[in-house]
């Protein structure tokens, strides 16, 4: 069974990949001046950054414990 830290590390990789994909899709939407898609992808990037920061904080606390 995987430890909670292992699962958080996997979740971190998932959110980082999500942020990267959203950034690529944002640039694509920008190229075609699709304002709705640009806003959607900006929001996805924002949420990914929030989740990445939360997970990194959690992992840092676990290392210190």
């Amino acid at each position: 069974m995987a430890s909670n830290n292992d699962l958080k590390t996997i979740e971190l990789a998932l959110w980082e990949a999500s942020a990267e994909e959203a950034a690529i899709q944002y640039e694509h939407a920008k190229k075609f001046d699709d304002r709705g898609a640009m806003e959607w992808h900006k929001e996805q990037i924002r949420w990914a950054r929030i989740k990445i920061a939360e997970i990194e904080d959690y992992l840092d606390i676990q290392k210190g414990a």
Side-chain angles (χ1 to χ4, degrees):
M1 190 163 148
S3 73
N4 199 30
N5 285 354
D6 291 340
L7 295 175
K8 286 291 186 182
T9 302
I10 293 168
E11 186 180 358
L12 178 62
L14 175 72
W15 280 109
E16 288 173 341
S18 294
E20 184 177 338
E21 180 63 25
I24 291 168
Q25 292 298 325
Y26 175 81
E27 290 301 320
H28 183 75
K30 189 176 177 183
K31 179 179 174 183
F32 292 101
D33 197 33
D34 185 347
R35 304 261 182 217
M38 288 168 60
E39 286 300 315
W40 170 255
H41 294 300
K42 278 174 39 178
E43 189 66 14
Q44 285 185 314
I45 294 166
R46 186 178 79 83
W47 272 104
R49 287 180 179 161
I50 290 169
K51 295 302 286 183
I52 289 167
E54 287 175 359
I55 295 167
E56 287 176 341
D57 286 346
Y58 173 83
L59 292 174
D60 288 343
I61 291 169
Q62 293 300 311
K63 286 179 186 176

